[in-house]
DNA sequence: GATGAAATCCGAGTCAC
DNA sequence: GTGACTCGGATTTCATC
């Protein structure tokens, strides 16, 4: 985590995270450097992996993905093969936004977006409990999204 | 959810979600429409709320936010005031990426990014359990991020 | 009512310094 | 790191279907 980032780099990161459509000219003005400098800095931030991409945010409820569900998963066995098989299969599911191996009462936590509860019930029965090595799942329907996917503060 | 989106609109949404830096010219070519049409369509998608923004993705471990933690929260009381106070306070915390009111064994689920475990322990002791109305928290350290914040499929 | 062609203008990307 | 120069794309207009 050796920070080779100066004030300007940090400013560029924060500005682009807030608005990825910012033109290089506007970005340069906001970061108080010349456009040419800004352009080189930004390119470097991409090349060195500080910025991994730029993504437009689609409103979930506008494309029939308005229902959010958190699912805790417990596996049968705690072997590397078991974990590997589960992860490979879970990562392929289109409705899985997050899949994290955790320490605690569950093995994995999934964050899932679907159209509605009926949709989720079908997916749960047909795809989630059918994932390799799943012993048990616990479903937490999200009733209110207070904060979802907030930008990183640093 | 009345879909007024045709094939072209969906294509634009998917392309911009995958790459928010796409130039209008490239986007038009990929969506098989003229640049003028593409520009108008894209603008409409923003104006009508299908696209809510464009965000550059910052690599968490590059800015000292490499540790991800999920936290389940149970409140003392289940009154609207209690929920409201908790939500208002939680939404202000800079390290909270997600805060969702859920049905099940917890009242809320938080997704939190910090620098390391020591960082989290400090935050947990000083800020999380100090949130209004918190009776109990359960912490799930993420040991492996299999999928994090995958783009929405629709 | 939406489209695509053309015309203008501004910014990206590259140069020398 | 700055300033200038060139080229390509963003944005608007307009005729057309």
């Amino acid at each position: 985590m050796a920070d080779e980032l100066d004030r300007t780099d940090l400013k560029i990161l924060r500005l682009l995270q807030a608005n990825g459509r910012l033109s290089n000219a506007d970005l340069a003005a906001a970061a108080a450097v010349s456009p040419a400098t800004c352009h080189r800095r930004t390119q470097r931030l991409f090349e060195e992996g500080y910025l991994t991409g730029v993504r437009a945010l689609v409103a979930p409820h506008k494309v029939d993905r308005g229902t959010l569900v958190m699912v805790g998963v417990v596996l049968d066995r705690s072997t590397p093969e078991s974990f590997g098989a589960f992860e490979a299969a879970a990562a392929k599911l289109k409705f899985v936004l997050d899949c994290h191996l955790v320490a605690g009462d569950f093995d994995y936590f999934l964050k899932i977006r679907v159209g509605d509860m009926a949709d989720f019930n079908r997916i749960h029965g047909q795809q989630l409990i059918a994932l390799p090595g799943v012993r048990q799942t616990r479903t937490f329907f999200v009733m209110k999204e207070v904060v979802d996917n907030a930008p990183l503060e640093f």
Side-chain angles (χ1 to χ4, degrees), chain A:
Chain A
M1 220 90 55
D3 264 15
E4 309 191 354
L5 297 176
D6 63 12
R7 282 278 183 291
T8 300
D9 290 320
L10 288 173
K11 233 185 252 180
I12 290 175
L13 287 179
R14 294 192 180 105
L15 286 162
L16 281 181
Q17 188 183 219
N19 181 5
R21 286 192 306 162
L22 224 44
S23 74
N24 184 65
D26 292 343
L27 184 61
V33 290
S34 74
T37 297
C38 185
H39 187 261
R40 253 181 296 104
R41 293 287 196 116
T42 304
Q43 222 165 239
R44 195 182 65 99
L45 291 171
F46 273 102
E47 284 162 2
E48 296 182 358
Y50 293 93
L51 291 170
T52 57
V54 178
R55 190 188 292 175
L57 304 174
V58 178
H61 67 280
K62 289 279 203 172
V63 292
D64 198 30
R65 294 292 181 278
T67 296
L68 187 60
V69 189
M70 307 294 296
V71 179
V73 176
V74 181
L75 298 191
D76 275 332
R77 284 162 296 126
S78 294
T79 64
E81 298 77 35
S82 182
F83 286 137
F86 177 83
E87 290 174 13
K92 286 202 191 101
L93 299 176
K94 311 136 303 296
F95 46 81
V96 171
L97 302 187
D98 284 8
C99 172
H100 297 303
L101 175 65
V102 298
D105 295 342
F106 298 104
D107 290 312
Y108 289 92
F109 259 119
L110 305 179
K111 177 177 173 180
I112 289 174
R113 268 205 185 281
V114 293
D116 54 29
M117 280 207 189
D119 217 3
F120 177 78
N121 275 329
R122 195 177 41 74
I123 282 169
H124 180 264
Q126 294 178 0
Q127 307 201 52
L128 289 184
I129 60 178
L131 285 171
V134 170
R135 178 203 296 275
Q136 183 196 132
T137 68
R138 184 165 302 186
T139 297
F140 302 89
F141 277 102
V142 171
M143 298 190 290
K144 181 179 179 187
E145 303 181 22
V146 181
V147 178
D148 187 53
N149 197 19
L152 202 55
E153 302 242 2
F154 54 93

